[in-house]
Amino acid sequence: MAFENLTIGRIIIHEIFRLNEDRTMADPHYGNGLIQLDAEAKDALQKRITEALGSSSHGVEMSIHDSGAQSAWMAAKNIIDAAGNNAQFIQLSQTITAKLAASQTTKVVPGGIVVVIDGTAGHPARPFVCAIKAEPHPGFIKKEENGQLLLEYLKELILTPEAKLYKIGAFIHADPAQVDPQQPTAGWRAFLFDDLITKGNRLGAAHYFYSTFLGLVFPSNSAFQTKEFHTLTKTFIKSANIDEERRSDLLNALTAYLKAEQIATIQVGVFSDTYLGTPELKDAYTHYMEQNEFPVQAIHKDLSEVAPALKKRKITFGHNISLTAPPEEFEGLVRIQAIDGEADEHGQVPKWTQITIRDRIREQE
Protein backbone atom coordinates (compact mmCIF):
# COMPACT_ATOMS: atom_id res chain seq x y z
CA MET A 1 0.00 0.00 0.00
CA ALA A 2 1.44 3.36 -1.05
CA PHE A 3 0.79 5.12 2.27
CA GLU A 4 2.03 2.47 4.71
CA ASN A 5 5.04 3.54 6.75
CA LEU A 6 4.10 7.21 6.30
CA THR A 7 6.42 9.64 8.07
CA ILE A 8 5.70 13.36 8.17
CA GLY A 9 8.63 15.69 7.62
CA ARG A 10 7.61 19.36 7.45
CA ILE A 11 4.19 20.94 8.04
CA ILE A 12 2.90 24.42 7.35
CA ILE A 13 -0.63 25.84 7.41
CA HIS A 14 -2.28 28.72 5.57
CA GLU A 15 -5.87 29.95 5.35
CA ILE A 16 -8.11 30.62 2.35
CA PHE A 17 -11.52 32.24 2.30
CA ARG A 18 -14.87 32.08 0.55
CA LEU A 19 -15.22 34.47 -2.42
CA ASN A 20 -16.16 38.05 -1.59
CA GLU A 21 -19.71 39.26 -2.21
CA ASP A 22 -18.57 40.74 -5.55
CA ARG A 23 -17.13 37.28 -6.44
CA THR A 24 -13.52 38.51 -6.20
CA MET A 25 -10.98 36.33 -4.43
CA ALA A 26 -9.98 37.23 -0.90
CA ASP A 27 -6.20 37.09 -0.46
CA PRO A 28 -5.08 33.98 1.46
CA HIS A 29 -3.58 34.37 4.91
CA TYR A 30 -0.16 32.80 4.55
CA GLY A 31 1.73 31.12 7.35
CA ASN A 32 5.41 32.00 7.42
CA GLY A 33 6.86 29.28 9.63
CA LEU A 34 6.89 25.51 9.98
CA ILE A 35 4.48 23.89 12.46
CA GLN A 36 6.06 21.77 15.17
CA LEU A 37 3.85 18.95 16.46
CA ASP A 38 4.65 16.73 19.40
CA ALA A 39 5.05 13.01 18.76
CA GLU A 40 1.46 12.11 19.72
CA ALA A 41 -0.06 14.77 17.47
CA LYS A 42 2.20 13.84 14.57
CA ASP A 43 1.28 10.14 14.96
CA ALA A 44 -2.43 11.03 14.90
CA LEU A 45 -2.03 13.10 11.73
CA GLN A 46 0.04 10.39 10.05
CA LYS A 47 -2.66 7.83 10.90
CA ARG A 48 -5.39 10.14 9.57
CA ILE A 49 -3.63 10.57 6.21
CA THR A 50 -2.77 6.86 5.91
CA GLU A 51 -6.37 5.79 6.56
CA ALA A 52 -7.85 8.43 4.26
CA LEU A 53 -5.63 7.76 1.26
CA GLY A 54 -4.88 4.10 1.85
CA SER A 55 -7.94 2.24 3.03
CA SER A 56 -10.92 4.61 2.94
CA SER A 57 -13.61 4.06 0.33
CA HIS A 58 -13.43 7.80 -0.26
CA GLY A 59 -9.77 7.67 -1.33
CA VAL A 60 -8.75 6.78 -4.90
CA GLU A 61 -5.65 6.78 -7.05
CA MET A 62 -5.84 9.33 -9.85
CA SER A 63 -4.04 10.13 -13.09
CA ILE A 64 -1.92 13.27 -13.40
CA HIS A 65 -3.35 15.41 -16.19
CA ASP A 66 -1.65 18.79 -15.66
CA SER A 67 2.16 18.73 -15.42
CA GLY A 68 2.75 22.32 -16.56
CA ALA A 69 5.02 24.86 -14.91
CA GLN A 70 2.14 26.26 -12.82
CA SER A 71 0.64 22.90 -11.86
CA ALA A 72 0.22 21.54 -8.36
CA TRP A 73 2.28 18.52 -9.40
CA MET A 74 5.20 20.79 -10.41
CA ALA A 75 5.05 22.58 -7.05
CA ALA A 76 5.11 19.19 -5.27
CA LYS A 77 8.05 18.06 -7.44
CA ASN A 78 9.98 21.25 -6.65
CA ILE A 79 9.40 20.72 -2.92
CA ILE A 80 10.81 17.20 -3.16
CA ASP A 81 13.73 18.33 -5.35
CA ALA A 82 14.62 21.01 -2.78
CA ALA A 83 14.53 18.69 0.24
CA GLY A 84 16.08 20.42 3.26
CA ASN A 85 15.45 23.96 1.98
CA ASN A 86 12.83 25.26 4.41
CA ALA A 87 12.57 28.70 2.83
CA GLN A 88 11.72 27.15 -0.53
CA PHE A 89 9.25 24.74 1.11
CA ILE A 90 7.42 27.69 2.68
CA GLN A 91 7.38 29.65 -0.60
CA LEU A 92 6.14 26.67 -2.63
CA SER A 93 3.46 25.85 -0.03
CA GLN A 94 2.19 29.40 -0.47
CA THR A 95 2.13 28.84 -4.24
CA ILE A 96 0.01 25.71 -3.70
CA THR A 97 -2.34 27.64 -1.40
CA ALA A 98 -2.73 30.48 -3.90
CA LYS A 99 -3.61 27.95 -6.62
CA LEU A 100 -6.28 26.35 -4.42
CA ALA A 101 -7.75 29.77 -3.58
CA ALA A 102 -7.88 30.67 -7.28
CA SER A 103 -9.58 27.33 -8.06
CA GLN A 104 -12.56 28.20 -5.87
CA THR A 105 -14.60 30.20 -8.34
CA THR A 106 -18.05 30.07 -6.74
CA LYS A 107 -19.32 31.49 -3.46
CA VAL A 108 -20.76 28.09 -2.57
CA VAL A 109 -17.28 26.73 -1.85
CA PRO A 110 -16.24 27.56 1.72
CA GLY A 111 -12.82 28.68 2.87
CA GLY A 112 -10.64 26.59 5.12
CA ILE A 113 -7.23 25.78 6.48
CA VAL A 114 -4.67 24.53 3.94
CA VAL A 115 -2.12 22.12 5.40
CA VAL A 116 0.92 21.36 3.24
CA ILE A 117 3.03 18.40 4.30
CA ASP A 118 6.07 16.60 2.95
CA GLY A 119 7.62 13.35 4.12
CA THR A 120 8.09 9.76 3.02
CA ALA A 121 5.76 6.79 2.56
CA GLY A 122 5.82 3.17 1.43
CA HIS A 123 8.36 0.34 1.33
CA PRO A 124 10.98 1.41 0.34
CA ALA A 125 10.27 4.89 1.61
CA ARG A 126 9.51 7.36 -1.18
CA PRO A 127 9.09 11.15 -0.93
CA PHE A 128 5.60 12.57 -0.99
CA VAL A 129 3.86 15.94 -0.75
CA CYS A 130 0.23 16.37 0.18
CA ALA A 131 -2.15 19.30 0.53
CA ILE A 132 -5.13 19.10 2.88
CA LYS A 133 -8.05 21.49 2.78
CA ALA A 134 -9.81 21.34 6.15
CA GLU A 135 -13.02 23.21 6.88
CA PRO A 136 -13.30 24.31 10.53
CA HIS A 137 -16.29 23.08 12.52
CA PRO A 138 -17.45 23.66 16.10
CA GLY A 139 -17.03 21.14 18.90
CA PHE A 140 -16.20 20.59 22.56
CA ILE A 141 -13.14 19.46 24.47
CA LYS A 142 -13.09 18.08 27.98
CA LYS A 143 -11.18 20.03 30.64
CA GLU A 144 -10.57 19.53 34.32
CA GLU A 145 -10.05 22.44 36.74
CA ASN A 146 -9.72 22.02 40.50
CA GLY A 147 -11.03 18.48 40.23
CA GLN A 148 -14.11 19.61 38.29
CA LEU A 149 -14.83 18.24 34.81
CA LEU A 150 -15.68 20.95 32.30
CA LEU A 151 -16.51 21.30 28.63
CA GLU A 152 -14.90 24.00 26.52
CA TYR A 153 -16.56 25.04 23.28
CA LEU A 154 -14.25 25.58 20.32
CA LYS A 155 -15.53 27.19 17.14
CA GLU A 156 -12.78 26.09 14.78
CA LEU A 157 -11.80 22.46 15.16
CA ILE A 158 -10.23 20.77 12.13
CA LEU A 159 -9.23 17.24 11.14
CA THR A 160 -11.11 15.47 13.92
CA PRO A 161 -11.71 11.73 13.25
CA GLU A 162 -15.45 12.19 12.73
CA ALA A 163 -15.15 15.30 10.57
CA LYS A 164 -15.97 14.83 6.91
CA LEU A 165 -15.01 18.35 6.07
CA TYR A 166 -11.61 17.84 4.52
CA LYS A 167 -10.04 16.86 1.24
CA ILE A 168 -6.53 15.59 0.52
CA GLY A 169 -4.44 15.55 -2.64
CA ALA A 170 -1.09 13.76 -2.58
CA PHE A 171 1.78 13.16 -4.98
CA ILE A 172 4.34 10.37 -4.41
CA HIS A 173 7.56 9.97 -6.40
CA ALA A 174 7.09 6.21 -6.35
CA ASP A 175 9.72 5.18 -8.91
CA PRO A 176 12.57 7.70 -9.33
CA ALA A 177 14.27 5.31 -11.78
CA GLN A 178 11.61 6.04 -14.37
CA VAL A 179 12.81 8.98 -16.46
CA ASP A 180 10.98 9.91 -19.65
CA PRO A 181 11.47 13.42 -21.13
CA GLN A 182 8.27 12.96 -23.11
CA GLN A 183 6.29 12.05 -20.00
CA PRO A 184 7.55 14.09 -17.02
CA THR A 185 5.16 12.46 -14.54
CA ALA A 186 6.49 8.93 -15.24
CA GLY A 187 7.25 7.26 -11.92
CA TRP A 188 4.82 9.51 -10.01
CA ARG A 189 1.52 8.48 -8.44
CA ALA A 190 -1.31 10.78 -7.36
CA PHE A 191 -4.06 10.17 -4.82
CA LEU A 192 -7.26 11.94 -3.82
CA PHE A 193 -9.40 11.76 -0.69
CA ASP A 194 -12.80 13.42 -0.84
CA ASP A 195 -15.75 12.46 1.35
CA LEU A 196 -18.04 13.07 -1.62
CA ILE A 197 -16.51 10.03 -3.35
CA THR A 198 -18.29 6.73 -2.83
CA LYS A 199 -17.56 3.30 -4.23
CA GLY A 200 -20.47 3.62 -6.62
CA ASN A 201 -20.01 7.26 -7.52
CA ARG A 202 -16.53 8.63 -8.08
CA LEU A 203 -17.99 11.52 -10.06
CA GLY A 204 -19.26 13.06 -6.82
CA ALA A 205 -15.81 14.43 -5.96
CA ALA A 206 -15.40 18.22 -5.91
CA HIS A 207 -14.21 19.14 -9.41
CA TYR A 208 -12.56 22.38 -8.31
CA PHE A 209 -10.30 20.45 -5.92
CA TYR A 210 -9.20 17.41 -7.91
CA SER A 211 -9.20 18.93 -11.41
CA THR A 212 -8.77 22.71 -11.31
CA PHE A 213 -6.48 22.72 -8.28
CA LEU A 214 -4.61 19.39 -8.40
CA GLY A 215 -4.74 18.85 -12.17
CA LEU A 216 -5.91 15.24 -11.75
CA VAL A 217 -8.39 13.10 -13.68
CA PHE A 218 -10.03 9.82 -12.86
CA PRO A 219 -8.31 6.88 -14.58
CA SER A 220 -10.23 5.66 -17.59
CA ASN A 221 -10.52 2.06 -16.49
CA SER A 222 -13.35 -0.24 -17.50
CA ALA A 223 -15.30 0.01 -14.25
CA PHE A 224 -15.31 3.79 -14.40
CA GLN A 225 -16.27 3.88 -18.09
CA THR A 226 -19.12 1.41 -17.56
CA LYS A 227 -20.43 3.52 -14.69
CA GLU A 228 -20.13 6.66 -16.83
CA PHE A 229 -21.97 4.96 -19.73
CA HIS A 230 -24.84 4.07 -17.40
CA THR A 231 -24.98 7.55 -15.85
CA LEU A 232 -24.88 9.44 -19.15
CA THR A 233 -27.32 7.14 -20.96
CA LYS A 234 -29.77 7.24 -18.06
CA THR A 235 -29.58 11.05 -17.96
CA PHE A 236 -30.23 11.19 -21.71
CA ILE A 237 -33.26 8.89 -21.48
CA LYS A 238 -34.72 10.81 -18.53
CA SER A 239 -34.52 14.10 -20.44
CA ALA A 240 -35.49 12.80 -23.91
CA ASN A 241 -38.65 14.12 -25.57
CA ILE A 242 -40.57 10.81 -25.41
CA ASP A 243 -43.68 9.63 -23.55
CA GLU A 244 -43.37 8.07 -20.10
CA GLU A 245 -44.20 4.56 -21.30
CA ARG A 246 -41.37 4.70 -23.84
CA ARG A 247 -39.05 6.20 -21.21
CA SER A 248 -39.78 3.31 -18.86
CA ASP A 249 -39.08 0.79 -21.63
CA LEU A 250 -35.71 2.41 -22.43
CA LEU A 251 -34.63 2.49 -18.78
CA ASN A 252 -35.47 -1.22 -18.58
CA ALA A 253 -33.52 -1.78 -21.80
CA LEU A 254 -30.46 0.01 -20.40
CA THR A 255 -30.37 -2.31 -17.40
CA ALA A 256 -30.94 -5.38 -19.57
CA TYR A 257 -28.15 -4.31 -21.94
CA LEU A 258 -25.63 -3.88 -19.14
CA LYS A 259 -26.60 -7.10 -17.35
CA ALA A 260 -26.66 -9.29 -20.46
CA GLU A 261 -24.21 -12.08 -19.66
CA GLN A 262 -23.41 -12.90 -23.26
CA ILE A 263 -21.73 -9.57 -24.03
CA ALA A 264 -18.32 -8.54 -22.70
CA THR A 265 -18.27 -5.03 -24.17
CA ILE A 266 -20.62 -2.08 -24.36
CA GLN A 267 -20.82 0.53 -27.11
CA VAL A 268 -22.82 3.66 -27.77
CA GLY A 269 -23.66 2.61 -31.35
CA VAL A 270 -24.87 -0.86 -30.35
CA PHE A 271 -27.21 0.48 -27.66
CA SER A 272 -28.48 3.13 -30.04
CA ASP A 273 -29.17 0.74 -32.93
CA THR A 274 -30.71 -1.95 -30.71
CA TYR A 275 -33.04 0.11 -28.55
CA LEU A 276 -33.58 3.73 -29.59
CA GLY A 277 -35.62 3.14 -32.73
CA THR A 278 -36.07 6.46 -34.50
CA PRO A 279 -33.20 8.15 -36.42
CA GLU A 280 -33.86 11.40 -34.53
CA LEU A 281 -33.45 9.76 -31.12
CA LYS A 282 -30.36 7.84 -32.27
CA ASP A 283 -28.72 11.04 -33.56
CA ALA A 284 -29.58 12.95 -30.40
CA TYR A 285 -28.11 10.19 -28.21
CA THR A 286 -24.91 9.90 -30.23
CA HIS A 287 -24.47 13.69 -30.16
CA TYR A 288 -25.09 13.76 -26.41
CA MET A 289 -22.46 11.10 -25.72
CA GLU A 290 -19.95 12.86 -27.99
CA GLN A 291 -20.61 16.15 -26.21
CA ASN A 292 -19.75 14.41 -22.95
CA GLU A 293 -16.58 12.97 -24.53
CA PHE A 294 -17.64 9.36 -24.08
CA PRO A 295 -15.69 7.11 -26.50
CA VAL A 296 -17.56 5.77 -29.53
CA GLN A 297 -15.53 2.57 -29.67
CA ALA A 298 -16.46 -0.53 -27.68
CA ILE A 299 -15.22 -0.65 -24.08
CA HIS A 300 -14.76 -3.62 -21.81
CA LYS A 301 -17.77 -4.09 -19.52
CA ASP A 302 -17.05 -4.06 -15.79
CA LEU A 303 -20.11 -3.78 -13.52
CA SER A 304 -18.22 -3.50 -10.22
CA GLU A 305 -18.99 0.22 -9.77
CA VAL A 306 -22.45 0.32 -11.34
CA ALA A 307 -23.85 -2.84 -9.73
CA PRO A 308 -25.66 -1.04 -6.85
CA ALA A 309 -27.54 1.13 -9.36
CA LEU A 310 -28.73 -1.96 -11.28
CA LYS A 311 -30.35 -3.68 -8.30
CA LYS A 312 -33.50 -1.56 -8.10
CA ARG A 313 -35.61 0.61 -10.34
CA LYS A 314 -37.63 3.33 -8.71
CA ILE A 315 -40.34 5.55 -10.15
CA THR A 316 -41.38 8.57 -8.12
CA PHE A 317 -44.70 10.38 -8.46
CA GLY A 318 -46.06 13.46 -6.74
CA HIS A 319 -47.47 13.31 -3.19
CA ASN A 320 -44.61 11.04 -1.97
CA ILE A 321 -45.80 8.05 -3.99
CA SER A 322 -43.16 5.73 -5.40
CA LEU A 323 -42.87 2.30 -6.98
CA THR A 324 -39.74 0.17 -6.55
CA ALA A 325 -38.85 -3.21 -8.01
CA PRO A 326 -35.91 -5.21 -9.40
CA PRO A 327 -35.31 -4.08 -13.01
CA GLU A 328 -35.88 -7.55 -14.48
CA GLU A 329 -39.31 -7.75 -12.78
CA PHE A 330 -40.15 -4.26 -13.97
CA GLU A 331 -39.68 -5.29 -17.55
CA GLY A 332 -41.81 -8.42 -17.36
CA LEU A 333 -44.46 -7.69 -14.74
CA VAL A 334 -45.04 -3.93 -14.65
CA ARG A 335 -46.83 -1.92 -17.34
CA ILE A 336 -46.96 1.85 -17.14
CA GLN A 337 -49.27 3.96 -19.26
CA ALA A 338 -50.03 7.67 -19.30
CA ILE A 339 -53.80 8.23 -19.40
CA ASP A 340 -56.12 11.24 -19.34
CA GLY A 341 -57.39 12.08 -15.87
CA GLU A 342 -60.63 13.76 -14.82
CA ALA A 343 -61.11 17.31 -16.01
CA ASP A 344 -60.90 20.00 -13.32
CA GLU A 345 -63.32 22.93 -12.86
CA HIS A 346 -61.59 24.80 -15.68
CA GLY A 347 -61.91 21.89 -18.08
CA GLN A 348 -58.22 21.09 -17.96
CA VAL A 349 -57.51 17.39 -18.34
CA PRO A 350 -54.46 16.28 -16.32
CA LYS A 351 -52.23 13.36 -17.20
CA TRP A 352 -52.46 10.45 -14.80
CA THR A 353 -50.51 7.20 -14.69
CA GLN A 354 -52.04 3.76 -14.98
CA ILE A 355 -49.89 0.99 -13.53
CA THR A 356 -50.62 -2.67 -14.13
CA ILE A 357 -48.75 -5.23 -12.02
CA ARG A 358 -49.21 -8.80 -13.12
CA ASP A 359 -49.50 -10.18 -9.61
CA ARG A 360 -51.73 -9.87 -6.59
CA ILE A 361 -50.98 -7.91 -3.43
CA ARG A 362 -48.95 -10.06 -1.02
CA GLU A 363 -48.55 -7.70 1.92
CA GLN A 364 -49.46 -4.19 3.02
CA GLU A 365 -48.17 -1.91 5.78
Side-chain angles (χ1 to χ4, degrees):
M1 193 170 72
F3 285 92
E4 286 181 337
N5 192 35
L6 185 143
T7 301
I8 288 176
R10 294 171 293 187
I11 308 171
I12 188 169
I13 67 170
H14 312 284
E15 187 172 11
I16 60 174
F17 305 96
R18 194 187 297 270
L19 288 183
N20 296 316
E21 284 302 314
D22 61 358
R23 301 178 65 82
T24 57
M25 187 185 84
D27 291 335
H29 179 201
Y30 294 118
N32 294 311
L34 301 182
I35 299 293
Q36 304 299 328
L37 297 178
D38 61 32
E40 185 177 3
K42 186 177 285 188
D43 285 346
L45 185 54
Q46 288 170 170
K47 183 180 179 183
R48 196 70 42 80
I49 296 171
T50 300
E51 290 178 348
L53 294 174
S55 58
S56 166
S57 60
H58 305 293
V60 294
E61 184 164 0
M62 305 286 285
S63 296
I64 301 171
H65 176 68
D66 183 3
S67 58
Q70 307 304 318
S71 66
W73 170 78
M74 182 61 77
K77 178 180 182 300
N78 288 339
I79 286 176
I80 290 173
D81 289 346
N85 187 332
N86 290 343
Q88 191 162 3
F89 173 78
I90 292 170
Q91 183 267 317
L92 288 165
S93 73
Q94 293 175 350
T95 300
I96 289 172
T97 301
K99 185 171 180 61
L100 176 54
S103 300
Q104 301 191 166
T105 56
T106 73
K107 290 193 291 185
V108 175
V109 181
I113 302 300
V114 182
V115 187
V116 180
I117 297 170
D118 75 350
T120 60
H123 298 283
R126 298 301 188 199
F128 82 94
V129 172
C130 77
I132 304 172
K133 181 192 172 188
E135 298 169 20
H137 60 98
F140 296 87
I141 61 170
K142 183 194 72 174
K143 294 180 66 178
E144 184 172 350
E145 292 181 2
N146 302 320
Q148 184 72 25
L149 287 176
L150 303 170
L151 281 179
E152 181 177 355
Y153 177 70
L154 298 177
K155 291 176 62 177
E156 296 191 305
L157 292 172
I158 61 171
L159 295 174
T160 56
E162 292 75 19
K164 299 178 179 179
L165 305 176
Y166 63 92
K167 308 178 190 301
I168 306 175
F171 297 95
I172 296 182
H173 199 186
D175 186 0
Q178 283 195 50
V179 178
D180 183 350
Q182 304 302 316
Q183 191 178 356
T185 60
W188 288 78
R189 299 175 69 185
F191 295 83
L192 171 71
F193 171 86
D194 187 332
D195 193 63
L196 297 174
I197 298 173
T198 64
K199 186 176 180 180
N201 182 20
R202 294 190 295 181
L203 297 176
H207 187 271
Y208 82 88
F209 189 81
Y210 77 81
S211 179
T212 311
F213 167 50
L214 294 171
L216 306 179
V217 294
F218 286 99
S220 293
N221 58 32
S222 298
F224 176 70
Q225 286 184 314
T226 304
K227 166 73 175 176
E228 193 175 26
F229 175 87
H230 175 260
T231 301
L232 290 173
T233 302
K234 188 174 180 180
T235 301
F236 171 80
I237 294 171
K238 291 171 71 174
S239 62
N241 184 24
I242 53 180
D243 62 48
E244 295 303 322
E245 189 172 356
R246 176 71 172 138
R247 198 181 321 280
S248 178
D249 289 344
L250 288 179
L251 289 171
N252 288 336
L254 174 60
T255 301
Y257 178 60
L258 287 172
K259 295 180 78 170
E261 294 182 356
Q262 67 272 26
I263 62 170
T265 62
I266 54 176
Q267 191 171 11
V268 170
V270 172
F271 181 81
S272 175
D273 290 340
T274 306
Y275 298 106
L276 295 186
T278 66
E280 294 78 13
L281 197 58
K282 289 180 181 179
D283 289 345
Y285 173 62
T286 303
H287 180 64
Y288 175 79
M289 298 300 272
E290 288 175 348
Q291 271 189 322
N292 285 279
E293 300 181 350
F294 193 86
V296 296
Q297 66 271 26
I299 61 172
H300 176 69
K301 185 175 71 173
D302 183 340
L303 300 182
S304 56
E305 290 196 9
V306 77
L310 301 180
K311 289 182 178 177
K312 291 284 186 183
R313 265 208 65 199
K314 181 178 181 181
I315 296 178
T316 303
F317 306 87
H319 308 284
N320 295 319
I321 299 171
S322 62
L323 174 65
T324 305
E328 54 273 20
E329 306 299 352
F330 238 107
E331 185 175 12
L333 299 176
V334 180
R335 184 182 180 190
I336 298 174
Q337 288 179 288
I339 61 173
D340 291 337
E342 296 175 357
D344 61 17
E345 64 273 22
H346 305 294
Q348 299 294 319
V349 179
K351 282 295 182 184
W352 289 358
T353 306
Q354 184 177 71
I355 299 174
T356 303
I357 300 175
R358 295 177 181 173
D359 202 347
R360 63 182 177 84
I361 296 173
R362 303 297 177 110
E363 186 176 346
Q364 298 191 60
E365 294 182 3

